[in-house]
């Protein structure tokens, strides 16, 4: 049931995102809001159905609540992202922040966390326990996996006029209009978010299984579809390159790990057996 609901919501989300480049103006802004709400429902709903209310509540607290708090601070003080203002196109605001903005943090925080858990678990022998090194690696991978998404998101939203920076220097090459401080602020908050998520969520957030396939698919879909959309449909080639490089840290190893897991057991076993040739092969 969990997987069926999650796959259904993911399919609706994908359809909405496919429609995005085909719309303009108020229709596109409305579709943006709808997409973020769908993403929030998908991630929080999956956390609730797969792991229970504690994990879902922890995700909402640190990602939605924390996301709103850091955005409100950012709008009021310019810390840690830089000075910026939101337009009125993304719906109602509270403390200068459109209410859908912290929902977006939540939408991508959960799949980024699960991707990091999947990768760090697959690289550690069974029964070895959670070491400090693996914990740090998991936090770093999840934080980069979330923060790098902004290399796609911010250029796209700024191009649409949904928010504007008062001082956009210094900027990354090709990404004029967005200061480097924005990306560093995202990374800082992502580290804090991921560091708080596990203690609040409990041990059930420390493993992945088949129920999490829709969330891992969401992460990979976001990566590959964003590259295509920015490079081909949105005329944002620089953000296509920056986003492709940044999210690749998590997305590429995840794709490789999932592909390897789909191979037949005997094929994976044969990879670790020496190939015999000559006389030995006839024995």
């Amino acid at each position: 049931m969990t997987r069926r609901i999650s796959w259904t919501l993911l399919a609706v989300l994908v359809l909405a995102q496919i429609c995005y480049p085909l719309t303009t103006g108020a229709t596109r802004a409305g579709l943006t809001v709808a997409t973020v709400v769908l993403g929030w429902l998908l991630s929080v709903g999956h956390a609730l159905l797969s792991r229970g209310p504690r994990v879902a509540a922890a995700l909402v607290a640190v990602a939605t609540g924390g996301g709103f708090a850091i955005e409100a601070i950012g709008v009021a003080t310019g810390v840690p992202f830089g000075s910026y203002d939101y337009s009125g196109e993304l719906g109602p605001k509270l403390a200068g922040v459109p209410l859908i903005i912290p929902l977006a943090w939540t939408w991508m925080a959960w799949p980024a966390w699960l991707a990091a858990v999947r990768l760090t678990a697959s690289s550690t022998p069974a029964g070895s326990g959670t070491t400090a090194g693996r914990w740090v690696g998991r936090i770093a991978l999840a934080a980069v996996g979330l923060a790098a998404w902004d290399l796609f998101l911010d250029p796209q939203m700024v191009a649409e006029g949904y928010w504007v920076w008062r001082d956009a220097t210094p900027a990354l090459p090709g990404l004029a209009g967005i200061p480097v401080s924005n990306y560093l602020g995202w990374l800082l908050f992502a580290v804090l978010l991921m560091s708080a998520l596990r203690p609040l969520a409990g041990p059930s957030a420390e493993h992945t299984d088949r129920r999490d396939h829709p969330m891992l698919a969401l992460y990979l879909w976001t990566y590959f579809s964003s590259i295509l959309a920015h490079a081909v449909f949105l005329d944002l080639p620089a953000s296509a390159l920056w986003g492709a490089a940044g999210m690749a840290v998590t997305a590429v190893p995840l794709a490789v790990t999932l592909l390897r897991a789909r191979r037949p057991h005997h094929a994976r076993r044969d990879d670790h057996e020496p190939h015999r040739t000559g006389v030995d092969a006839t024995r």
Side-chain angles (χ1 to χ4, degrees), residues 185-211:
W186 264 75
L187 183 59
L188 171 63
F189 178 67
V191 170
L192 297 175
L193 188 161
M194 297 303 177
S195 298
L197 181 58
R198 164 59 182 87
L200 290 174
S204 63
E206 276 289 313
H207 67 273
T208 61
D209 54 38
R210 291 176 60 84
R211 298 172 300 174

Side-chain angles (χ1 to χ4, degrees), residues 140-157:
L141 194 59
V144 170
L146 173 59
W149 178 48
D150 195 48
L151 292 165
F152 289 120
L153 181 65
D154 231 289
Q156 180 179 338
M157 298 297 101

Side-chain angles (χ1 to χ4, degrees), residues 1 30 62 67 139 142 180 183 217 225 227 250 258 260-261 265 272:
M1 179 63 72
V62 300
I139 295 297
V180 172
Y183 304 111
S225 68
I227 295 173
T250 302
L258 294 177
R260 286 178 175 174
H265 175 71
H272 299 286

Side-chain angles (χ1 to χ4, degrees), residues 53-112:
R54 175 179 175 178
V55 176
L59 178 63
V60 171
V62 300
T64 309
F68 173 77
I70 197 70
E71 289 280 359
I73 293 170
V75 169
T77 69
V79 178
F81 306 109
S83 298
Y84 60 103
D85 295 294
Y86 286 103
S87 71
E89 297 186 63
L90 294 179
K93 300 179 186 179
L94 180 62
V97 180
L99 295 179
I100 70 157
I101 296 299
L103 304 189
W105 286 95
T106 315
W107 167 19
M108 284 303 295
W110 185 235

Side-chain angles (χ1 to χ4, degrees), residues 108-128:
M108 284 303 295
W110 185 235
W113 170 259
L114 292 177
V117 170
R118 179 70 174 82
L119 289 172
T120 53
S122 67
S123 64
T124 306
S128 63

Side-chain angles (χ1 to χ4, degrees), residues 3 6-11 13-14 17 42-43 46 107-108 110-112 114-115 118 208-226 247 250-251 254-255 258 262:
R3 294 177 68 199
S6 296
W7 281 120
T8 300
L9 281 173
L10 177 58
L13 176 63
V14 168
Q17 290 181 312
L42 174 57
S43 290
H46 176 271
W107 167 19
M108 284 303 295
W110 185 235
L114 292 177
R118 179 70 174 82
T208 61
D209 54 38
R210 291 176 60 84
R211 298 172 300 174
D212 300 325
H213 287 177
M215 291 294 98
L216 303 180
L218 168 61
Y219 193 84
L220 293 178
W221 158 258
T222 300
Y223 177 62
F224 290 110
S225 68
S226 295
M247 282 189 75
T250 302
L254 177 63
L258 294 177
R262 291 178 60 86

